[in-house]
Every structure is written in C-alpha cells, then in structure tokens.
Amino acid sequence: MFPALYLTRAESGATEAALRTLSPDDLPEGEVLVRVSHSTLNYKDALAITGKSPVVRSFPMVPGIDFAGTVERSADARFAPGDAVVLNGWGTGETRWGGLAGYATTRADWLVPLPAGMSAQQAMSIGTAGYTAMLCVMALEAHGMQPDAGPVLVTGANGGVGSIAIALLARLGYTVTASTGRPEETEHLHALGASAIIDRTALGSPGKPLQKENWAAAIDAVGSHTLANVLASTRYGGVVAACGLAQGMDLPASVAPFILRGVTLAGVDSVYAPLARRRIAWQRLAAELPAELIARNTRVVGLAEALALAPELLAGRVRGRVVVDVNR
C-alpha cells in the first residue's frame, strides 16, 4: 500500500482532491513500474488539484507532471530494476496518472536515466520547471545568443522556471535582469545571479508596439501583455523564448518587433520535447547547476502539505521550487 494525492470529479463538476491509500493493483497498466521517491508541485499541478483549469482530462487522476525514483519492474530492456530515472511531461498527471504517489507506471519511452551524481531530490528540486528553463536557454543558444550580446530579461523571476533560468544564465556569463511582483525577494534574486530587478507592473499592462530596445534576449513564463511588451523592447536581432502563460494565454502584440527589428519568438515546449533534447537538458543541468544553489531554492514538503500549498502557488505566494517527498 502507498499514499497518493487522488483527484475525483463531484456531480457538480468540481474537482475534489484528497490524500488516499492505494495498492499497486489500482495503478494503470504500464511498461515500467517506478517506486517514486520525490515529485514536485508545479503550476500545472496546482491547477489540477484546485480545479481552476481543466488540466485533468479524465478522472480519477493522480496529479504530478514529473517524478524521480527507482525502477521496480520493466518490460523494456532499456531499464532494469534498480535504475534511477526521472520523468517530465508526456501528459503525466493530466491524461495518465502522475508522480504525486508512492508508485507510478509509465512508458519506457518517457523515462530519462537520472544523471550520475544527481539524487532524486535534487532532480525534483530542478523538476519540470528547471528542465523547462534549460530548454529555454538552449533555445536562445540555438538562435545564436551569446553572453556578450547584452542583457537578458527573465520574467516571472520568483517562480520555478524563472528562478532556475536566472541561475543558469548567470552561471553561463549572461547579465540577467529579473522581473518580479515581489520586491521583498530582491536579495534572493540577487543570490541566484540577477544583476538588476524590475517591477513586473512595468511590463504587465498594454504598451506601445515598439519600445526602447532594452534586452538582447528574454525568457518569458508569463505571456499576455508581459510577453507583448518584452517583444516590443527587445533589441534588433534579439531572441525571446516563451514557455508559460501565468498572466494569460493571449498575445496582444503587433508584427512590428518581427519585421522592423528582426526579433525571433521561440516557443519552448517541455511536455513533448524529443528524448534526445531531454537527455541533453538533464546532463547540462547536472553539470551547470550547483547543488548548493538548488538546495537554497527548494522547499521540501509531504503530500498533505502539497495539497494545502496548491492555492498558495496559484496566488504567486510560493518562492522557487516545491519538492514533494511522497513518503513523508
């Protein structure tokens, strides 16, 4: 028997979340059975738990879009009992039971071997947010961005993606400006590597189609007016990697930054990214993100605490990463 966060749908249509005890027989079929050590509480998980957005496509559901643990049983020769693995995305926690439980079943194609020297807790301190941040950095690099090109803006700086993006960029030698709505976290953002801090209100309202050229590049996890203003204030030939929609899914922008300044908007998807790109991202995270920085940016909780924290995360009152020790 093992603990799990368990989501059901009430007759009213509302999502009901509870801590339940399950058995392996309750799990859906899968090529690989993983004994989960740690998962995380991501923005998408919080939406699923609270029912604030139709993230979950079928009920009942165990949420958790990522997890790290050890293989217990495998029908695929690529994995053997005892192998340490990590999983991100592929609809896990949305269409297929996820990682906020003691065990999970999954497809072998979706698993990535845990990099040597990285613990399960460290992997989930990075989690989908950090893995997405690395994909964003890789997108900037793929479009020719180098540290000497100029300052890079990171929006949603206190969130999971933003905080790790700052740390990665700073370690690579970029000058990073952090956009946040929580000025009280300035010291924390400087510790991550941000050189300057701006208030998110400067970007969050409707703005001009073209603005002063401030940023050589940007990583945006916010969307809506924020992304539109970031594009409008990106320098000639700059690159913006977009990976989130914390402010909204809309993009009230014009074509001006693209056709007058040659700005590139690079979309970053972490859910269905190819396996080869995932392996590179995780190997680079293991090599380029210091363990002490990971620990400083992390809060470890149990399943019951994760349930209570979901509304706080949606309200923007959670700093950095929330790791869930599923056995705590």
Side-chain angles (χ1 to χ4, degrees), residues 122-209:
Q122 287 173 330
M124 287 297 97
S125 293
I126 297 168
T128 292
Y131 151 70
T132 303
M134 178 54 83
L135 292 178
C136 288
V137 171
M138 289 164 61
L140 297 186
E141 293 172 342
H143 286 87
M145 193 53 52
Q146 298 291 332
D148 60 2
V152 179
L153 175 69
V154 176
T155 66
N158 275 300
V161 174
S163 58
I164 296 182
I166 291 168
L168 287 169
L169 290 166
R171 288 278 294 181
L172 290 168
Y174 290 88
T175 300
V176 185
T177 295
S179 169
T180 181
R182 288 184 275 170
E184 69 275 11
E185 299 289 358
T186 294
E187 184 177 346
H188 171 65
L189 294 173
H190 281 310
L192 289 173
S195 299
I197 315 294
I198 63 172
D199 194 305
R200 69 183 181 193
T201 56
L203 298 168
S205 300
K208 295 179 180 179

Side-chain angles (χ1 to χ4, degrees), residues 86 88 90 109-113 115 130-143 242 266-286:
V86 61
N88 305 94
W90 297 111
D109 286 342
W110 297 350
L111 292 172
V112 173
Y131 151 70
T132 303
M134 178 54 83
L135 292 178
C136 288
V137 171
M138 289 164 61
L140 297 186
E141 293 172 342
H143 286 87
V268 174
D269 164 60
S270 64
V271 178
Y272 299 108
L275 182 59
R277 194 179 305 160
R278 291 169 182 266
R279 286 177 176 265
I280 293 170
W282 275 106
Q283 290 297 332
R284 288 190 60 178
L285 286 163

Side-chain angles (χ1 to χ4, degrees), residues 96-122:
R96 186 178 183 89
W97 284 21
L100 288 168
Y103 283 87
T105 52
T106 189
R107 290 179 56 182
D109 286 342
W110 297 350
L111 292 172
V112 173
L114 197 65
M118 179 181 284
S119 70
Q121 181 171 313
Q122 287 173 330

Side-chain angles (χ1 to χ4, degrees), residues 12-39:
S12 64
T15 298
E16 295 182 341
L19 187 58
R20 294 273 293 271
T21 299
L22 302 177
S23 77
D25 291 338
D26 295 317
L27 292 168
E29 291 293 319
E31 295 171 316
V32 185
L33 173 66
V34 177
R35 181 167 187 164
V36 178
S37 170
H38 294 79
S39 184

